[in-house]
Amino acid sequence: MSALETKNRDELFTPEIRAEIDHEIAKYPESESQSASMAALRIIQDANGGWLTQERMDEVAAYLELPPIAIYEVATFYSMYEHKPVGRNKLCVCTNISCMINNSDQIVEHLNNKLGIKFGEVTEDGRYSLKEVECLGACGGAPMMQVGRKYYENLTPEKLDSILDELE
Amino acid sequence: MANEVIFKNRDLDNLWDIEQYRSRGGYEVLTKILTEKTSPAEIIDGMKTSGLRGRGGAGFPTGLKWSFINRDTPTEKYLVCNSDEGEPGTFKDRDILRYNPHALVEGMLIASYVIDAHRAYNYIRGEFWEPSERFQNAIDQARAAGFVGKNILGSGFDCELNVHLGGGAYVCGEETALLESIEGKKGQPRYKPPFPAHVGLYGCPTVINNTETLASVPTILREGAEKFRDLGVENSGGSKLFSISGHVKNPGVFELPMGTPFSELFELAGGMRDGSKIKAVIPGGSSSPVIPGEIMMDLTMDYDAIAKAGSMLGSGAVIVMDDTTCMVKVLDRMGYFYHEESCGQCTPCREGTGWLYRIVHRLENGQGRPEDIDLLMDVQNRIRGKTICALGDAAAMPVAGMLRYYQDEFQYHIDHKKCMVGTGA
């Protein structure tokens, strides 16, 4: 490992981050620390601006003493891990049936027009990115979206405008 | 007779707080079991009497599932709760986590005691961050009160509860994919047998129950198995949470006795939105075949009645659609979903869901071919029953359901290259 890579890793793997990952590892039986791979990837992704690079994945693998492939498999199987830069606010819009029949198309169109981006894209200022997601289990509040850890339900174009203004 | 079990104390402002939960008898039955050292066999008998069937969708009898665990094996046993709620249309477990998390904590502890598990995990979908915090807070409160950890209430019984967050994969709601996911791997379902009761988490005997199932346990044992059973009808004991969404006026989660007429649930949800007319209902999550509204109005909400009508009660997720809804467009969206979520392990599902999606998608876009309806039936038939897990069936069944009742709409798309809805045809 080069000196530069070591430095990067140490910068990211702060004592706080290590403690957070170690807390996850402790949930599982000894010798089963692979179980913490999903949580470790989530923690590192959050610390890395919301997305993962191969270097970051390799570091997670090294920390958990796993072959890198075990981490790549997990990081590419689950939809919440990102492999390209995302906006500071990742707008995850549900377009599944209950949302679709409650005009999620209109929500998506409004976001497309207002932000000038499509699904999978980031605004130039890095403030927002758009992502199409599958049912998030809040169909009673359709149409809905998730931003960060929060759900926004019963969306309308007007409501969207005020939500977007509040997101830094 | 609504709100008899899970939502029973929903009138309390902060039911998620342990003091509130305990003010109505919460943790009493756990305390009784642990201090009296009730025999696990007796608890299992109670669960069998209650008629409780798995609320995740498959409807497997809970007491029977628990009885499959051999407590005398020297290895660890595990209890796993499935809060990976992802079946489109389903949003009931989120409400349990948010509003009654202690019922789930208590239910998980009782189930763990019965199968002699000293570690239990609640697998919560990663998007449910806020509900998972509320659940974690309930665990912390329960631990502070002596209900979680070592030597619970001096009984000698140890049990740790932990949350495992998912990462966004519908297939992880399948119990063996979920176990792979807890082991920190991609969520690809395992062959069964061996069943999880013999070879489950980390190769050890494991019981996996749905959130609603486990959260029902304390009330069933506290108030009596017969009382719970008698809320429902034959083969469908107890009450059930129904998530109703779509074109109804007041979508939401309603707890009703099994066997309640659909028309009552529909009325609770406020009926159709102003001016619209009911067209079709998906009665048990997107995998359950669609039923025309007029047939649905005469059905009751229980396993047998919905099965007799050719569909499934599933997770109790009811999606109501009005007469402006194009069934081709609905199936197009569903097809995309199953194709997107197929784990890729079995060829019939990986390839077949792509075929289904592409065919319906071209129909929806006015590029349908005369042979497409036969082709759809053929493809769905080649997926059904030919895959390791039920995701293949879940993708195939709605296709046959749509064509059973709405083939004319699909034919219209082929013949006229456009949608039939609104044309008066």
Side-chain angles (χ1 to χ4, degrees):
Chain A
M1 192 178 282
S2 74
L4 182 66
E5 279 171 337
T6 310
K7 182 167 171 267
N8 284 344
R9 202 186 80 164
D10 287 346
E11 266 175 18
L12 193 74
F13 279 70
T14 60
E16 292 76 26
I17 295 272
R18 283 165 192 268
E20 224 181 309
I21 298 176
D22 291 347
H23 172 75
E24 292 293 332
I25 294 172
K27 289 180 175 179
Y28 307 97
E30 259 175 70
S31 81
E32 302 292 355
S33 57
Q34 183 169 2
S35 285
S37 65
M38 294 175 69
L41 282 167
R42 183 184 70 240
I43 293 163
I44 291 300
Q45 173 167 287
D46 286 350
N48 195 49
W51 66 296
L52 294 165
T53 59
Q54 185 171 346
E55 202 186 355
R56 296 280 97 104
M57 291 190 280
D58 289 345
E59 289 157 4
V60 170
Y63 194 79
L64 295 175
E65 296 175 353
L66 293 169
I69 183 67
I71 290 298
Y72 302 161
E73 280 190 348
V74 169
T76 55
F77 185 85
Y78 297 94
S79 66
M80 292 174 78
Y81 301 114
E82 304 292 343
H83 300 274
K84 285 194 312 184
V86 294
R88 290 196 299 282
N89 300 290
K90 182 170 76 172
L91 313 178
C92 300
V93 186
C94 175
T95 59
N96 210 302
I97 304 170
S98 292
C99 284
M100 181 185 85
I101 65 175
N102 278 294
N103 298 323
S104 60
D105 286 0
Q106 191 193 1
I107 298 304
V108 174
E109 202 187 314
H110 187 75
L111 289 169
N112 290 154
N113 293 337
K114 191 168 165 116
L115 304 177
I117 52 171
K118 295 200 166 60
F119 284 135
E121 296 177 348
V122 190
T123 54
E124 263 176 39
D125 60 3
R127 188 169 169 190
Y128 307 104
S129 58
L130 263 188
K131 181 172 183 167
E132 181 173 34
V133 294
E134 295 301 340
C135 184
L136 293 185
C139 320
M144 64 80 64
M145 68 172 180
Q146 178 166 30
V147 187
R149 291 169 174 180
K150 201 168 151 51
Y151 276 20
Y152 295 88
E153 303 180 43
N154 301 305
L155 296 175
T156 59
E158 299 71 42
K159 202 167 162 185
L160 266 182
D161 288 343
S162 64
I163 293 167
L164 291 178
D165 287 343
E166 280 168 26
L167 298 169
E168 288 302 313
Chain B
M1 288 294 276
N3 299 341
E4 289 286 317
V5 182
I6 306 255
F7 284 169
K8 188 169 182 137
N9 298 314
R10 213 176 166 172
D11 58 302
L12 294 176
D13 282 340
N14 302 303
L15 182 55
W16 53 86
D17 184 76
I18 194 165
E19 292 312 319
Q20 295 281 299
Y21 180 69
R22 293 185 78 173
S23 74
R24 297 270 177 92
Y27 290 108
E28 271 176 18
V29 72
L30 175 74
T31 304
K32 183 165 182 282
I33 287 168
L34 291 181
T35 49
E36 293 178 6
K37 302 208 174 358
T38 311
S39 87
E42 191 183 322
I43 300 171
I44 288 174
D45 281 345
M47 294 311 296
K48 286 182 178 169
T49 302
S50 76
L52 178 65
R53 292 170 58 173
R55 298 301 196 224
F60 194 83
T62 306
L64 189 60
K65 189 182 258 190
W66 291 3
S67 75
F68 291 153
I69 297 289
N70 180 0
R71 297 179 97 252
D72 299 327
T73 47
T75 59
E76 291 289 331
K77 295 107 193 153
Y78 291 97
L79 177 85
V80 173
C81 173
N82 184 346
S83 296
D84 193 41
E85 184 162 65
E87 174 77 11
T90 318
F91 51 102
K92 63 188 180 67
D93 295 338
R94 176 177 174 231
D95 275 3
I96 297 174
L97 295 170
R98 292 194 295 176
Y99 301 127
N100 200 359
H102 282 288
L104 182 56
V105 169
E106 188 177 4
M108 286 179 72
L109 288 165
I110 293 169
S112 297
Y113 168 81
V114 168
I115 65 167
D116 195 32
H118 304 292
R119 278 179 195 266
Y121 294 98
N122 188 6
Y123 187 101
I124 302 179
R125 62 178 300 172
E127 296 89 342
F128 281 177
W129 182 273
E130 291 180 335
S132 81
E133 285 187 316
R134 182 135 319 151
F135 181 73
Q136 181 63 52
N137 186 52
I139 294 178
D140 296 343
Q141 286 188 330
R143 182 188 303 278
F147 297 123
V148 172
K150 293 252 178 256
N151 191 21
I152 300 170
L153 305 175
S155 66
F157 175 64
D158 305 334
C159 193
E160 287 297 333
L161 293 192
N162 277 300
V163 170
H164 183 103
L165 283 178
Y170 167 69
V171 73
C172 286
E174 198 279 342
E175 60 179 11
T176 60
L178 188 150
L179 295 179
E180 289 287 301
S181 189
I182 297 185
E183 292 182 6
K185 302 166 188 163
K186 55 187 172 171
Q188 290 192 319
R190 300 174 180 173
Y191 280 103
K192 291 190 272 191
F195 288 93
H198 298 119
V199 182
L201 185 59
Y202 308 124
C204 298
T206 302
V207 161
I208 303 138
N209 285 136
N210 168 257
T211 312
E212 183 186 348
T213 309
L214 287 166
S216 303
V217 170
T219 305
I220 291 171
L221 297 177
R222 189 175 59 240
E223 300 195 359
E226 288 84 1
K227 186 180 168 192
F228 179 83
R229 181 195 61 203
D230 295 343
L231 287 172
V233 292
E234 203 183 345
N235 270 333
S236 302
S239 62
K240 167 99 192 75
L241 298 184
F242 294 101
S243 326
I244 181 164
S245 67
H247 291 135
V248 289
K249 204 176 284 173
N250 306 312
V253 183
F254 299 92
E255 181 178 343
L256 293 170
M258 285 283 204
T260 298
F262 168 75
S263 55
E264 272 181 41
L265 172 64
F266 181 67
E267 214 168 288
L268 278 172
M272 297 307 284
R273 266 184 223 160
D274 299 334
S276 71
K277 190 169 160 280
I278 189 167
K279 175 175 181 175
V281 176
I282 294 171
S286 73
S287 308
S288 64
V290 68
I291 297 180
E294 65 271 19
I295 296 180
M296 203 61 209
M297 283 299 175
D298 293 329
L299 296 180
T300 52
M301 298 303 287
D302 55 88
Y303 295 109
D304 292 352
I306 304 293
K308 249 183 246 160
S311 191
M312 296 185 312
L313 187 70
S315 56
V318 180
I319 305 174
V320 178
M321 295 173 277
D322 71 13
D323 55 0
T324 65
T325 313
C326 167
M327 299 317 244
V328 182
K329 190 176 178 190
V330 169
L331 194 62
D332 180 23
R333 186 62 187 82
M334 273 186 205
Y336 177 79
F337 170 71
Y338 290 108
H339 179 46
E340 179 77 15
E341 297 296 336
S342 172
C343 82
Q345 187 174 212
C346 309
T347 308
C349 175
R350 182 186 63 243
E351 302 301 322
T353 52
W355 276 74
L356 291 177
Y357 168 59
R358 287 188 296 273
I359 298 165
V360 182
H361 193 63
R362 73 178 177 228
L363 274 167
E364 167 64 10
N365 287 296
Q367 293 159 338
R369 303 170 193 167
E371 68 273 20
D372 277 350
I373 290 176
D374 289 342
L375 190 57
L376 275 177
M377 281 307 283
D378 184 43
V379 173
Q380 69 88 20
N381 207 27
R382 283 167 197 270
I383 301 173
R384 273 172 109 147
K386 298 179 179 68
T387 56
I388 291 174
C389 86
L391 194 146
D393 290 347
M397 286 186 301
V399 176
M402 283 290 188
L403 292 175
R404 179 176 174 193
Y405 292 111
Y406 301 102
Q407 189 166 327
D408 54 338
E409 283 189 41
F410 288 76
Q411 193 62 51
Y412 194 94
H413 270 253
I414 295 173
D415 295 343
H416 301 271
K417 313 285 179 207
K418 62 176 185 181
C419 189
M420 184 171 121
V421 175
T423 61

